[in-house]
Amino acid sequence: MSLFSGKVDAGRRFALVAVERGIDRAGDDGAELLYEIPAELESSGSLQSGERVDVPLGKRKVGGVVVASGGTELLGDIDPVKIRPILRRSGAILPNSLMELAKWIAGYYVCPLGMVLSSMIPSAVKKEIGKKIEAVLARSGDPRDGDMSKALAGLVQRVDALPASFFPASAEQLKLQLGEKTLRGIRRLIAMGVLSEQTRQVLRPSGAGEIGEHSFGGDRAVEPSPDQAAVLKGLEPLVCRDEFGVHLLFGVTGSGKTEVYLRLIAAVLKAHPDSSVIVLVPEIALTPQASERYSGRFKDLGVAVLHSGLSASRRHSEWMRAATGAARVVVGARSAVFAPVPRLGLILVDEEHDTSYKQDQLPRYHARDVAIKRAQIEGCSVVLGSATPSLETWSNAGGDSSSRAPAAPRGGARPARYQLWKLPHRVGGGALPKVQIVDMYRERQEARQLGLGDVSLLPTLRRALHSTLREGAQAILLLNRRGFATFVGCAGGASCGWVMSCERCDARMVLHRDAALRGGELLRCHHCLSECVVPRACPSCARGLVRLGAGTQRIEEELRPLLHELALPHEAMIRVDRDTMRTAQDYFSALGAFASGKARLLVGTQMIAKGLDFPGVRLVGVVSADTGLNMPDFRAGERAFQLISQVSGRAGRADSQGLVIIQTMEPGNPAIVLAAEHDYERFAAGELAARRAFSLPPQTRMARIVCRDEKQPAARERSAALAEWLRAWSGRQGGMIGVAGPLTPPVARVADQFRFGLEVTGSRAGLVQDALRAAREAGLLKSDAKTAVDVDPVSML
C-alpha cells in the first residue's frame, strides 16, 4: 500500500532495480532503487524479475537487474514525481533460481546485491557484443503475377517446396539451398511478392573457438573398471532423482573420475530430457581437454564452453546457447556456476579442492560452495571430485571416520553431510608412480663436487631427466614461482644489507629476464605489478649485486644445455606460467604441442599440476617442494600436499610406471612424506586433528576482514574500532564468536595501502553470519575499496 498522500495514477508501473554499483544496505530490502516503467517499454511484454535494464543514476547511465515490479504498492512514502524512468531493456534475463542464489551470495559473502548480479552476467552479454541486424527473406502469401517464364515458375515451385522451418533465411542461404548461381531469380521473386524482406537480430560469434586446431586425444569411451562400476551402480540412481544431495567422488589420480562424470551426465540427461548439466573445472588450462571429451560424448546434445579466455562475441554466443537450452552440457571455469540453464539436473565440480574456485575480488564467493547452494535451490545433486579433497569437504563427507554413509560423530569427527564414494585404484590396473624424495642439502654438496655450481636442478633429477628425454619420453618440471631470481641484493651481505624491495609494497622485487629489453632484465613486484630497471650496483655502497633464488625462467635457462646435448630443438621445451601464457590460446597451443609430442618437456608453475592427462609423461620433477610449505598460513601444509600429489599424478598414466622426484630441504615433513606415499587419508587424519586442537577450520568457521588505507594509523584505527564493536556484540550474545586482531598481515602494505586484519571465528557458519550482519546493519561493515570481507578465506596472506 502506498503511503504517499498525493494522487497517483493507478495504472503506473514501477520496478525495484539492483544497480551494478556498490550501494549496500543489510536486510531483506537490500539496496534496490525504485524506477518507473514507461508504458512503451512493456509493449512487447511485462518487465520480469531477473531482467537486465539500463537506468539513470545521477548523471550517468548504469546497468541493473530488476528485483521486483508492480504498481503503486511499491511507492511506500516516496513522491512519484521524483521517480525516474527505466531507459531500456537489454534482453538478458536471469531465471528465478539465480535471483534467489544472488540474494544468498549477497548476504553470505557480505556484498552489494547489484555487484553479485553484475558478476553473474558476462560483460559480453551486457554489451550485446556479436549481435547484428540481418536482412532475411520469408515466404509471402501475397498474390503472384500470373505471367511468369517457365524457369521462374519452377523457381517458385522449389521455394514452395522448402519446409517452413527453413524460413526466415538470408538471400545467400536461399540461393545455396535452391542451387542458384546468382541472386537474380531471388530478386525477381521479391519484386513479384513471392518473398518478403524482413530483419532479425542474430548473434555472430567471431574469434577463435575453444580448442581451435589443437587435439588432446578426444573422448576415449571405455568399459568401466570394477571400482567405477561399483560407484556408478550406487550413484546413478541418486543423481537421477529430483532431489538435493551432495556427493564426494574421492579417487586417486588416473582412477577415471572423468569417465564416471560422463556416465552420470548421460544418465541424468536420459532420465530428464529437458534438463541441463554444469561441469566446473578450476583452471582455464583444463577446459580444452575437458571440453573435447564432453563435446565428443555429447555432440548431439550440444556443449557450451564458458570462460574468460573466449572472444567476447563467442562468450555471448555460448551463454545464450546455455540460456536457451541449445547446449545441454555447460563446461567452464568458476563463473560457469552461474550459467542460466532452463532446468538444472546436475552439477559436477572437478578438482573441488582447488583454490582458484575462490574469487579474490568482489564478490568473494567460492564456486564449489555456490554450486552446492545452487543445487539445493534447484533441487538436484552436486558431485565433487578430487584425488586430494579439501579438508572442509573431507570432513563434511565423514572421511575422517572412514564412513560412506552419514554417521554419528566419533573421536571429535563431525557427522557426514555428504556421501563419500571411492575410486582407490588406477584404471587398467596401472600403478601409481614411484616417488623418490631428494634431500637438497646433500644433493647440493654432490652438485659442487661435480662442478655444477649453484644449480636448481640437482644431480638425481638431472640424471633422470636426461634418461627420460634420451629414451623419447616426456617430462614435467614444477616450480611454483615465476621469474628468474626472487632476491636481488648487495653482494656485501649483512655488512650492507641493501635488498631491492618494492617502493609501494612491503615485499621484495622479483628479477625477470626478457631478451626484448635493453639490458635483458627488469625487476617486477608480483603484488602491485610495479616495474623498474636493475641497478648497475648497490645504491648504498656501490658494490655488485647478487641474484638468488630460482623461478621458472632460471630452470628454463639451466635446461637449454641439456636440450643441446640431446640434439632437441628449443621448441621441445615449453614454459607455462603467467608470463608466457597471456591468452587462452597460448595455453591451448602449449598443451596441444605437448599432447602431440612436438614438445617433450613442460616447465611451469601450478598451472601444469592438475587435471591434465598426457600418457607420454614418464617423469615428474618437483624442483622445490618447500616453496609454499612454510608460508604463514594454517593451510600451507594442506596446499603443499595437494600440489605435490596432483603433479605426481601426471606421471605414469600409460603402461609403464612413472617416476616422481621431489627435491626438498625438509625430507621428513609429513606433507611431503605422505604425498610421496600417496596416502591422503593419513595426511587428512593428522591435519584435521591439528585443526581441532587449535580450533581452526573446518572445526570452526571463519571470516577475515582486512581494513586498508594509505595512512597506516587510519587503517589500524578502523580495524581496532571494528574489533572492539564485534567483541562487545559477542559479549552481549554470550560470547558466541571469537575476534582476533587487529593483526598485521605477512605483507603489511600493498600498492600504497596499509593493511590490518581481523579474524572472526565461530563454531557454526550461522554465528559468524550473525556477527557480520549485525556489523553491516550498524553501518560498520561494507565491502568496498577500504574494507575487504572474505568469508571462508582460503588464503591468510
Side-chain angles (χ1 to χ4, degrees):
M1 180 177 176
S2 174
L3 300 178
F4 180 70
S5 58
K7 188 176 180 181
V8 183
D9 183 356
R12 293 175 67 179
R13 283 182 40 81
F14 303 90
L16 287 169
V17 178
V19 296
E20 296 170 352
R21 290 294 184 272
I23 300 173
D24 189 30
R25 289 198 303 268
D28 294 336
D29 62 336
E32 299 85 28
L33 303 180
L34 189 65
Y35 290 91
E36 183 169 5
I37 307 172
E40 63 272 16
L41 210 63
E42 294 192 306
S43 59
S44 59
S46 297
L47 200 64
Q48 303 177 43
S49 171
E51 191 166 350
R52 191 173 184 276
V53 293
D54 290 336
V55 295
L57 185 65
K59 295 181 179 180
R60 295 170 296 172
K61 180 179 76 172
V62 299
V65 176
V66 175
V67 175
S69 61
T72 56
E73 71 277 3
L74 294 178
L75 284 174
D77 58 356
I78 301 173
D79 184 350
V81 174
K82 298 179 180 179
I83 299 174
R84 302 171 74 180
I86 293 173
L87 301 176
R88 66 182 287 269
R89 303 166 77 163
S90 72
I93 301 176
L94 294 174
N96 290 335
S97 58
L98 281 182
M99 292 297 293
E100 184 179 346
L101 181 66
K103 292 174 183 177
W104 177 82
I105 292 173
Y108 187 81
Y109 290 105
V110 190
C111 179
L113 178 60
M115 302 295 285
V116 176
L117 291 167
S118 177
S119 71
M120 286 184 163
I121 305 174
S123 176
V125 178
K126 297 175 193 173
K127 297 176 182 177
E128 301 181 299
I129 295 175
K131 263 192 178 180
K132 300 184 185 300
I133 302 298
E134 180 183 65
V136 292
L137 301 175
R139 279 190 295 219
S140 174
D142 294 342
R144 294 159 182 173
D145 189 345
D147 186 15
M148 287 188 288
S149 67
K150 186 175 180 181
L152 202 55
L155 188 58
V156 170
Q157 289 179 348
R158 281 186 284 152
V159 168
D160 286 341
L162 292 174
S165 59
F166 180 76
F167 294 96
S170 69
E172 191 65 30
Q173 289 172 328
L174 185 57
K175 183 190 80 171
L176 294 173
Q177 185 70 21
L178 297 173
E180 293 289 294
K181 293 182 179 179
T182 69
L183 294 173
R184 183 180 176 184
I186 292 172
R187 292 194 186 102
R188 288 285 306 276
L189 296 186
I190 295 171
M192 294 168 55
V194 175
L195 297 171
S196 62
E197 293 181 294
Q198 301 175 354
T199 60
R200 67 177 177 186
Q201 277 194 339
V202 294
L203 192 52
R204 298 288 186 210
S206 61
E210 163 64 14
I211 299 173
E213 56 190 27
H214 308 296
S215 175
F216 300 90
D219 177 41
R220 303 181 297 277
V222 293
E223 278 299 309
S225 68
D227 289 341
Q228 290 172 321
V231 167
L232 288 166
K233 183 178 179 181
L235 192 49
E236 271 189 13
L238 298 179
V239 300
C240 288
R241 294 178 185 172
D242 277 330
E243 61 183 44
F244 171 63
V246 186
H247 305 270
L248 170 61
L249 181 59
F250 168 51
V252 299
T253 56
S255 60
K257 293 185 287 294
T258 302
E259 183 62 31
V260 173
Y261 299 156
L262 290 163
R263 290 175 179 267
L264 291 177
I265 293 171
V268 168
L269 296 183
K270 182 179 179 182
H272 306 287
D274 60 339
S275 66
S276 299
V277 174
I278 296 174
V279 183
L280 300 182
V281 294
E283 292 273 7
I284 196 174
L286 301 184
T287 54
Q289 278 198 336
S291 61
E292 188 177 63
R293 288 204 67 181
Y294 291 105
S295 297
R297 190 72 62 96
F298 302 111
K299 59 185 177 183
D300 294 337
L301 297 173
V303 176
V305 180
L306 292 175
H307 61 71
S308 59
L310 300 174
S311 69
S313 59
R314 188 166 294 279
R315 188 168 172 79
H316 187 183
S317 173
E318 295 294 272
W319 194 85
M320 290 303 299
R321 291 179 67 224
T324 59
R328 302 274 304 287
V329 179
V330 179
V331 181
R334 182 175 58 225
S335 61
V337 73
F338 301 129
V341 297
R343 181 186 179 219
L344 187 58
L346 174 67
I347 305 178
L348 296 159
V349 185
D350 193 24
E351 309 290 357
E352 66 81 30
H353 67 276
D354 199 280
T355 56
S356 63
Y357 280 126
K358 177 75 169 179
Q359 180 149 297
D360 60 1
Q361 59 188 8
L362 213 63
R364 292 178 175 84
Y365 68 89
H366 198 302
R368 176 198 63 215
D369 298 337
V370 170
I372 293 170
K373 183 62 181 180
R374 183 171 183 186
Q376 183 185 46
I377 291 170
E378 304 259 12
C380 68
S381 289
V382 59
V383 177
L384 315 175
S386 179
T388 55
S390 68
L391 291 180
E392 284 79 5
T393 296
W394 186 248
S395 178
N396 281 329
D400 49 341
S401 60
S402 302
S403 170
R404 196 186 79 174
R410 185 181 65 179
R414 291 181 172 189
R417 298 170 58 200
Y418 306 165
Q419 199 153 349
L420 176 61
W421 308 85
K422 295 184 179 181
L423 295 173
H425 307 105
R426 281 191 161 184
V427 292
L432 288 165
K434 176 185 175 183
V435 183
Q436 182 178 354
I437 299 175
V438 170
D439 186 333
M440 292 177 72
Y441 178 76
R442 293 180 180 177
E443 286 271 314
R444 280 176 177 166
Q445 291 179 319
E446 182 183 348
R448 293 188 188 98
Q449 293 170 359
L450 294 172
L452 294 175
D454 185 17
V455 294
S456 299
L457 299 174
L458 299 171
T460 298
L461 181 54
R462 281 176 173 266
R463 287 190 288 266
L465 184 58
H466 187 282
S467 173
T468 299
L469 296 178
R470 187 186 63 226
E471 294 170 13
Q474 292 177 302
I476 292 176
L477 296 181
L478 169 74
L479 178 59
N480 202 24
R481 186 184 290 139
R482 293 184 292 134
F484 184 85
T486 56
F487 177 94
V488 176
C490 180
S495 63
C496 172
W498 179 84
V499 175
M500 188 67 211
S501 298
C502 178
E503 293 182 354
R504 303 184 63 208
C505 307
D506 291 342
R508 293 198 299 258
M509 302 284 273
V510 176
L511 181 72
H512 288 254
R513 289 195 168 170
D514 189 339
L517 295 171
R518 186 178 180 182
E521 55 188 20
L522 59 78
L523 291 159
R524 179 180 297 142
C525 175
H526 286 187
H527 295 279
C528 71
L529 305 182
S530 296
E531 295 180 348
C532 66
V533 297
V534 182
R536 293 178 179 272
C538 173
S540 294
C541 68
R543 278 182 273 199
L545 301 178
V546 292
R547 296 158 171 80
L548 304 176
T552 49
Q553 284 187 325
R554 188 188 287 270
I555 303 304
E556 184 181 36
E557 185 172 288
E558 285 187 23
L559 287 167
R560 287 194 181 110
L562 176 61
L563 295 183
H564 180 72
E565 180 185 342
L566 294 171
L568 293 173
H570 70 274
E571 294 89 356
M573 175 172 59
I574 298 177
R575 193 177 96 233
V576 178
D577 57 29
R578 201 181 303 170
D579 298 324
T580 57
M581 304 290 110
R582 299 182 183 277
T583 68
Q585 286 305 312
D586 290 336
Y587 280 111
F588 305 156
S589 297
L591 299 180
F594 198 67
S596 69
K598 292 178 182 177
R600 302 267 301 284
L601 179 57
L602 211 56
V603 179
T605 57
Q606 53 86 25
M607 293 178 178
I608 62 174
K610 57 221 168 188
L612 301 173
D613 185 359
F614 297 115
V617 176
R618 203 172 73 190
L619 172 70
V620 167
V622 180
V623 178
S624 175
D626 313 317
T627 304
L629 195 56
N630 296 312
M631 299 292 282
D633 189 326
F634 68 87
R635 286 191 175 88
E638 179 184 3
R639 281 200 290 267
F641 178 93
Q642 290 167 338
L643 188 61
I644 294 168
S645 297
Q646 289 290 332
V647 75
S648 298
R650 304 314 107 205
R653 288 184 166 238
D655 298 333
S656 60
Q657 185 180 26
L659 173 64
V660 180
I661 295 176
I662 301 173
Q663 297 186 157
T664 176
M665 297 293 286
E666 298 185 53
N669 189 290
I672 294 173
V673 172
L674 294 174
E677 294 175 1
H678 310 292
D679 197 342
Y680 171 81
E681 296 195 44
R682 263 182 67 200
F683 170 79
E687 188 72 9
L688 283 169
R691 301 277 183 91
R692 283 193 290 269
F694 292 99
S695 296
L696 291 169
Q699 178 66 19
T700 56
R701 301 300 289 268
M702 177 185 288
R704 185 167 180 254
I705 304 168
V706 177
C707 296
R708 302 176 288 216
D709 201 283
E710 291 182 358
K711 297 178 180 179
Q712 188 179 42
R716 185 191 296 112
E717 287 167 13
R718 281 196 298 114
S719 182
L722 182 57
E724 184 179 351
W725 189 92
L726 285 168
R727 290 190 183 104
W729 179 88
S730 179
R732 293 193 297 272
Q733 306 300 318
M736 297 194 309
I737 62 165
V739 182
L743 304 169
T744 303
V747 183
R749 182 174 57 106
V750 174
D752 294 322
Q753 296 284 322
F754 290 94
R755 308 161 72 230
F756 288 90
L758 301 178
E759 293 172 10
V760 182
T761 55
S763 60
R764 294 181 290 106
L767 298 179
V768 176
Q769 286 294 309
D770 288 344
L772 298 180
R773 188 179 303 109
R776 201 176 178 187
E777 289 172 350
L780 296 172
L781 189 61
K782 178 184 176 182
S783 294
D784 57 16
K786 295 292 186 182
T787 308
V789 183
D790 191 0
V791 179
D792 301 329
V794 298
S795 173
M796 305 303 292
L797 302 180

